[in-house]
Amino acid sequence: MSETTAPVTTAASVTAAPAAGRARAARIALRTLTVLLALFYGVASALPKLIAHPSAVESFDTIGWGSAAMYIIGVLELAGGIALLVPVLAGVAPIALGALMAGAFVVQMSYFDGENAATPLILIVPLALLAWTRRRSNADLVRLVKRRV
């Protein structure tokens, strides 16, 4: 007589597999979103300001802020894009970029009659999602800062 062994499946293991698959898919989607936002802020948003592209110069001249503000905002956007990719800053970076986008919305409404006001509003949504999902890294950052002080 030969013995055969069949894998034993319990109800817990049957339901755990799809949940683990969804969790993995969610992590991949969040990482993809993070990389896309980092690229957007680094390349599409900060770069034109940092190289003084004529469209960026014209926009800041219209506002009356000049080139210094253009470079400062470009550096903030680039720093925020990079910070999105740094694990310990992953929770605070979307909050900071969201605040920057709130300011961009106000500027678009005030100086440009809402011409591109939808862009910062649209960007606030994925930033809020990242801030919410990465809120625990803020606690890690606070512990790190407290340890250094």
Side-chain angles (χ1 to χ4, degrees), residues 90-114:
V92 73
I95 294 169
L97 286 169
L100 199 60
M101 290 302 97
F105 173 75
V106 170
V107 168
Q108 289 294 327
M109 294 301 291
S110 301
Y111 292 97
F112 299 104
D113 298 323

Side-chain angles (χ1 to χ4, degrees), residues 79-93:
I82 292 169
L84 284 171
L85 302 173
V86 178
V88 73
L89 301 174
V92 73

